[in-house]
Amino acid sequence: MTPPETEFVSISDAAEKADAPPRISSRSLPDSLPILGLSDIVIFPGAVVPLLVETGPSLKLIDDIVAGDRLFGAVLQRKAEIAEPAPEDLYEVGCVSRLSKMVKFPDGTVRVLVEGLWRIRVKKFEPPAPYLRAGYELLQDETEDSVELQAMLRNAHKQFEEIARLSTALSDQVKITALNTEHPGHFADLIAANLNLSLEDRQKLLETISVRERLQKLLPMLNREQEVLTLSSKIQNDVSSSIAKTQRDFFLREQMRAIQRELGDTDANAGEAKSLREKIERAVLPDEVRKVAQQEMERLSQMPPAAAEYTVARNYLDWILNLPWEKTTEDKLDLKAAEKVLNEQHFGLPKIKDRLLEFLAVLKRRKQIKGPILCLVGPPGVGKTSLGKSLADALGRKFARISLGGMRDEAEIRGHRRTYVGAMPGRIIQTLRRIESCNPVILLDELDKVGADFRGDPAAALLEVLDPAQNHTFTDHYLDLPFDLSRVLFIATANWLEPIHPALRDRLEVIELPSYTESEKLQIAKRFLVPRQIEEHGLTRKDVKFSDAVLRKLIREYTREAGVRQLEREIAALSRKAARKIISRNGEAKTVKLDTKEVERYLGHAPFIPETAEKITEYGIATGLAWTPVGGEILFIEATRMRGRGQLILTGSLGDVMKESAQTAVSYLRSQAKKLNVEMDDYAKFDLHIHVPAGATPKDGPSAGVTLVVALASLLTRRRVRSDVALTGEISLRGRVLRVGGVKEKVLAAERFGVKQVILPEGNKSDWLDVPTEVRAKLKVHFVRQISEAIQLALEAK
């Protein structure tokens, strides 16, 4: 049973209101009563309660009692979710109630008004019928005429008066009835029925026959309710006072401004408004921007300073006035001076330096040119980021760096619209305001690390920023005004191009930075790394000496990288050791000369032993060349055969493309078995197993095709592969060796590992010229067109 709306009045009032029979005596009660389970209400004697009846048995019960004496027992259920409660689902103590009114609705439900009469204890339920019926015991209040009971009643009256004053939920009729009730038992029942109590507390009060005990249980509940209402009232008063104070301050400020205008005095905010107007007049702004700034200034002058929109408009004007719309730095167009700066700060990199000097030459001739979007691609540690700073120094422009690594929100580039709380422009506009120039060099670092999620794709927002045909009208969401980015020289950096969005990649002028050779690393260490670390550790060139032998040992045995970051860390470690050694001498001035033996004592055992390519002593092993984002590597491909069913087994975390290359190699050898003198007649009786070590590292790509076919040819012809030969190249079923990428990095890796000969596709002849001269002098190269040529060159003679 659900109480749709509850109102409690006295029994006499209910009798006057309800179209019900006159009051009856407890002596005329029947021996058993229909029992109605209540899900979320407890009926007390003297209470008039509306109920909503929905279930079938309950509707049948209502129909039967309406035709009879209208009496039934109302008992609370132990679990409210039970639609048709059984005897064990009900509490023992309930209330004899009388139905006063009934209204039926079209949906089949019935709303009734019932009046509580007496407490009862349910004794024994009769056999199952359409609804529950049970015998009962009438429970009379156990009262006493004592001073203590009267004191408790007066205390309860006093607390209820305070609750009635604080609470707005109690009706006036309930308040008047309660305050005029002198009988302790009736008063306790009336309060229990109307106080905000849980069903369990109400049921306990209903089950308490002793009036004295009932009041004892009720008093703490009244006290708790009084404390809750007092605290709620205090909170409400504090909130109201705060709102009233804000409104009062607003009206007082407005009155003060009106009085000042009447007296001719200067408004407190007039000075700020005047200052902003003067800034707008003095600022060098495009016409469209000036018009918007003036409109925003008029809006600002009409707003009271206390308004929330005032701060938003004030910040917007600040951004407009502080942006370098036409503020530029003068370019240094001296090519010789620029070349000197680039050479002083970076060793090598001739292609990149030539491209930057070409840009300066065109700028000197034309005076204005839309900045190209250069993208420096190369392994970590080769100087991509520092090259941007060097370019800014060569041009005489201001420099700023924006890290894109991990950026996932489009608003980081375009900004948030001003409708959002705490909105700000994007990183591009913020950077321009910070450096106060509209023609700086901006480095967009780690372009390949940009991500995307539900907030948008920053790479898509960068399409406009990095397009010279569009970025002259770049519109930030916060400013909602076009800003000319065409004078900005953007330089992007990335470790590799694959993750970059194709449309964005199309807008970039890609310049690849290769891995450094050993001699280049040695020169970089001598010219840049060692002096920098000596200075950072408080030393001088007289304090510590790094010999070429020491630096070569660090390069060969303590680092294996495409760049020089780890090399600089090792130099820093030796500098710290030298500083400590100098301090421990107690001021004795002596130069610390590091030798190769001290390097191992200071840095521990070398993690990378100077090694040549593995000495091949078995059939089916070949040395291949691979490209990675951090430089070139060599890899060994192993092949073996065992009895089986002609299956090809591939292991070593190989990708789909590399697996297909292995299938192609097997198919080629089977088709050319006689020509190559390869025994493949019993192919169906044996399984071939190809494995690439370092199984935890994923490997993919077509460039291992020629190495795979050579390893299989070695296994099947029982001829070992030359230990000093490394191969790379894609293969086709026709026996062609096709062009591959990353040749320079692969060849540098071959030289680093002591390989003497490399076999490359004929299509990569032009790439061989990009390999440093010193490396080419150490290696013998063979360019092949057919797989058969590679096999003859790679395998030892029988």
Side-chain angles (χ1 to χ4, degrees):
M1 302 303 102
T2 304
E5 184 180 353
T6 305
E7 179 185 5
F8 297 100
V9 296
S10 67
I11 296 176
S12 59
D13 292 332
E16 293 175 4
K17 291 181 179 180
D19 297 334
R23 294 182 61 84
I24 61 174
S25 171
S26 60
R27 298 178 180 178
S28 62
L29 292 174
D31 295 334
S32 64
L33 288 171
I35 302 299
L36 182 65
L38 305 176
S39 61
D40 52 2
I41 189 171
V42 176
I43 298 179
F44 285 85
V48 177
V49 183
L51 299 176
L52 183 64
V53 184
E54 298 174 302
T55 61
S58 300
L59 292 171
K60 174 65 176 170
L61 183 152
I62 296 297
D63 290 339
D64 289 351
I65 65 173
V66 167
D69 56 10
R70 301 194 178 192
L71 298 176
F72 65 95
V75 183
L76 181 66
Q77 300 174 192
R78 297 182 185 274
K79 295 182 178 180
E81 64 271 12
I82 300 176
E84 298 181 10
E88 61 271 13
D89 297 324
L90 302 174
Y91 285 96
E92 293 183 359
V93 177
C95 184
V96 177
S97 302
R98 180 174 61 173
L99 189 147
S100 301
K101 286 185 179 182
M102 179 181 71
V103 179
K104 290 188 176 182
F105 292 93
D107 60 357
T109 60
V110 174
R111 180 169 295 190
V112 297
L113 189 69
V114 299
E115 175 190 355
L117 300 178
W118 299 281
R119 284 176 171 80
I120 60 170
R121 187 186 306 277
V122 179
K123 286 294 189 180
K124 183 178 180 182
F125 285 88
E126 296 181 358
Y131 45 81
L132 296 177
R133 193 176 186 91
Y136 61 91
E137 174 190 357
L138 200 63
L139 302 177
Q140 299 291 343
D141 283 352
E142 296 177 358
T143 186
E144 60 186 62
D145 187 10
S146 65
V147 176
E148 184 180 1
L149 184 61
Q150 290 298 320
M152 293 172 65
L153 178 61
R154 290 183 183 181
N155 191 11
H157 265 291
K158 184 177 180 181
Q159 287 187 334
F160 185 76
E161 286 180 11
E162 183 64 20
I163 291 172
R165 184 182 65 81
L166 296 173
S167 175
T168 58
L170 296 175
S171 65
D172 293 338
Q173 186 178 6
V174 171
K175 296 176 183 178
I176 294 171
T177 303
L179 295 177
N180 291 329
T181 301
E182 297 296 335
H183 189 280
H186 293 168
F187 177 78
D189 288 344
L190 183 60
I191 299 305
N194 288 276
L195 203 62
N196 187 18
L197 302 177
S198 65
L199 289 175
E200 289 76 10
D201 288 341
R202 288 184 176 181
Q203 181 64 28
K204 288 179 182 178
L205 292 173
L206 182 67
E207 294 174 355
T208 305
I209 307 303
S210 170
V211 174
R212 184 171 177 274
E213 291 180 7
R214 198 182 308 163
L215 282 174
Q216 283 179 336
K217 293 179 180 179
L218 187 62
L219 284 173
M221 299 177 186
L222 285 169
N223 188 49
R224 182 184 61 189
E225 183 69 14
Q226 181 182 347
E227 289 178 354
V228 171
L229 290 173
T230 302
L231 183 58
S232 299
S233 178
K234 181 179 181 300
I235 294 172
Q236 183 64 33
N237 291 336
D238 291 344
V239 173
S240 300
S241 300
S242 176
I243 295 175
K245 183 179 183 304
T246 302
Q247 294 174 340
R248 177 175 174 273
D249 292 346
F250 172 77
F251 287 122
L252 287 176
R253 286 194 188 95
E254 291 299 314
Q255 289 176 357
M256 185 170 61
R257 292 176 65 182
I259 293 171
Q260 287 175 339
R261 285 195 298 269
E262 290 295 328
L263 295 175
D265 294 342
T266 303
D267 190 351
N269 297 313
E272 183 181 20
K274 182 180 179 181
S275 174
L276 285 173
R277 285 193 173 91
E278 291 176 354
K279 285 184 179 180
I280 294 174
E281 293 301 323
R282 291 196 307 267
V284 181
L285 303 174
D287 294 340
E288 181 180 357
V289 177
R290 184 178 300 279
K291 181 179 179 181
V292 170
Q294 290 172 346
Q295 291 175 350
E296 199 68 22
M297 186 64 238
E298 291 302 319
R299 287 183 62 243
L300 188 69
S301 62
Q302 302 299 322
M303 295 181 192
E309 191 68 20
Y310 183 89
T311 304
V312 176
R314 181 71 175 81
N315 290 339
Y316 180 65
L317 272 176
D318 280 341
W319 276 101
I320 290 179
L321 294 175
N322 288 313
L323 281 176
W325 297 95
E326 301 292 339
K327 188 176 180 180
T328 62
T329 55
E330 185 177 354
D331 290 331
K332 296 178 183 177
L333 300 178
D334 188 341
L335 295 186
K336 291 184 178 180
E339 186 175 6
K340 182 180 179 182
V341 170
L342 292 175
N343 288 332
E344 286 177 350
Q345 299 185 4
H346 282 80
F347 178 79
L349 307 176
K351 285 188 177 180
I352 300 168
K353 293 176 180 177
D354 288 344
R355 177 63 186 88
L356 298 179
L357 292 173
E358 290 166 5
F359 168 73
L360 291 180
V362 175
L363 186 62
K364 186 173 183 178
R365 294 287 298 176
R366 197 173 183 273
K367 301 301 181 185
Q368 185 175 359
I369 183 174
K370 290 184 177 180
I373 313 300
L374 304 179
C375 182
L376 308 180
V377 178
V382 295
K384 300 183 297 296
T385 303
S386 60
L387 192 63
K389 181 68 170 66
S390 300
L391 175 60
D393 293 341
L395 280 171
R397 294 189 179 188
K398 294 186 177 181
F399 174 76
R401 173 182 167 272
I402 299 176
S403 177
L404 302 179
M407 185 180 291
R408 294 180 176 273
D409 190 355
E410 179 194 0
E412 292 277 355
I413 303 297
R414 288 189 174 276
H416 295 87
R417 300 190 185 279
R418 280 187 291 156
T419 52
Y420 293 105
V421 176
M424 292 184 67
R427 298 275 291 277
I428 303 292
I429 297 298
Q430 290 183 39
T431 300
L432 292 172
R433 175 180 176 174
R434 186 178 71 252
I435 61 180
E436 299 180 345
S437 173
C438 67
N439 68 334
V441 175
I442 294 182
L443 181 77
L444 302 176
D445 211 4
E446 308 292 355
L447 182 61
D448 55 333
K449 310 298 189 303
V450 173
D453 61 11
F454 64 93
R455 293 170 292 183
D457 186 358
L462 285 171
L463 293 177
E464 181 183 3
V465 175
L466 299 181
D467 190 345
Q470 299 180 37
N471 61 10
H472 64 285
T473 57
F474 171 72
T475 303
D476 187 274
H477 286 160
Y478 180 84
L479 292 179
D480 202 23
L481 291 168
F483 193 97
D484 186 4
L485 297 180
S486 63
R487 289 170 287 186
V488 177
L489 177 58
F490 287 103
I491 299 179
T493 70
N495 292 129
W496 55 324
L497 289 174
E498 289 297 327
I500 301 177
H501 192 284
L504 183 57
R505 197 186 315 161
D506 184 59
R507 288 163 167 78
L508 304 174
E509 181 178 338
V510 177
I511 301 176
E512 295 189 0
L513 276 72
S515 306
Y516 290 128
T517 63
E518 181 179 315
S519 62
E520 287 175 333
K521 290 181 180 179
L522 178 63
Q523 293 300 321
I524 292 171
K526 291 171 64 176
R527 298 186 186 189
F528 305 107
L529 305 185
V530 170
R532 182 161 62 215
Q533 291 303 320
I534 287 177
E535 182 182 353
E536 288 183 1
H537 289 83
L539 303 172
T540 65
R541 290 181 178 271
K542 295 180 180 180
D543 294 329
V544 59
K545 297 291 186 182
F546 286 84
S547 65
D548 288 2
V550 169
L551 295 176
R552 288 188 186 276
K553 186 176 181 66
L554 292 178
I555 294 169
R556 292 173 180 174
E557 301 181 23
Y558 287 86
T559 65
R560 182 162 292 172
E561 56 181 342
V564 292
R565 282 209 182 112
Q566 183 61 30
L567 177 59
E568 184 170 13
R569 283 192 283 267
E570 300 297 341
I571 293 173
L574 290 178
S575 300
R576 291 193 298 273
K577 301 292 184 183
R580 180 181 176 183
K581 192 172 182 179
I582 291 172
I583 295 299
S584 64
R585 289 177 175 175
N586 297 324
E588 184 182 349
K590 269 192 177 183
T591 302
V592 177
K593 294 182 179 180
L594 298 170
D595 57 31
T596 54
K597 293 181 180 179
E598 287 183 316
V599 169
E600 187 166 343
R601 183 161 62 89
Y602 287 149
L603 301 181
H605 294 296
F608 306 106
I609 304 300
E611 56 180 320
T612 59
E614 181 180 320
K615 179 68 175 176
I616 297 175
T617 59
E618 301 176 21
Y619 308 125
I621 301 176
T623 306
L625 298 173
W627 178 91
T628 71
V630 295
E633 289 288 342
I634 67 169
L635 55 84
F636 299 98
I637 294 180
E638 304 171 351
T640 187
R641 64 185 295 189
M642 55 274 184
R643 291 194 174 276
R645 301 178 181 178
Q647 295 181 345
L648 176 61
I649 303 170
L650 302 171
T651 57
S653 298
L654 308 186
D656 291 339
V657 176
M658 198 165 179
K659 290 179 180 178
E660 291 173 359
S661 296
Q663 293 282 1
T664 304
V666 172
S667 299
Y668 171 77
L669 290 175
R670 290 181 66 186
S671 66
Q672 302 293 324
K674 291 184 179 180
K675 184 177 179 181
L676 298 173
N677 295 322
V678 176
E679 283 292 336
M680 297 293 286
D681 294 337
D682 55 353
Y683 174 77
K685 298 179 181 179
F686 291 88
D687 289 343
L688 291 176
H689 185 171
I690 298 176
H691 176 69
V692 183
T697 305
K699 310 166 192 70
D700 205 359
S703 64
V706 70
T707 313
L708 288 164
V709 78
V710 167
L712 288 171
S714 169
L715 174 69
L716 298 173
T717 60
R718 304 188 66 77
R719 295 166 60 189
R720 283 188 294 270
V721 179
R722 298 178 187 274
S723 299
D724 62 346
V725 172
L727 311 92
T728 185
E730 183 180 355
I731 60 173
S732 71
L733 282 175
R734 296 181 297 160
R736 297 286 304 278
V737 180
L738 307 177
R739 175 187 173 90
V740 293
V743 168
K744 181 178 179 181
E745 283 74 16
K746 293 176 182 179
V747 172
L748 290 176
E751 185 269 338
R752 190 167 67 243
F753 282 92
V755 172
K756 302 301 180 184
Q757 302 182 62
V758 291
I759 298 176
L760 303 176
E762 189 175 24
N764 288 109
K765 277 187 176 181
S766 58
D767 297 311
W768 176 252
L769 300 176
D770 293 334
V771 178
T773 305
E774 62 182 276
V775 176
R776 282 185 284 166
K778 296 178 182 180
L779 295 174
K780 183 178 181 180
V781 63
H782 303 279
F783 294 105
V784 297
R785 180 179 295 181
Q786 298 291 329
I787 295 176
S788 57
E789 300 174 39
I791 292 175
Q792 292 302 319
L793 290 168
L795 299 184
E796 294 179 350
K798 283 190 177 181

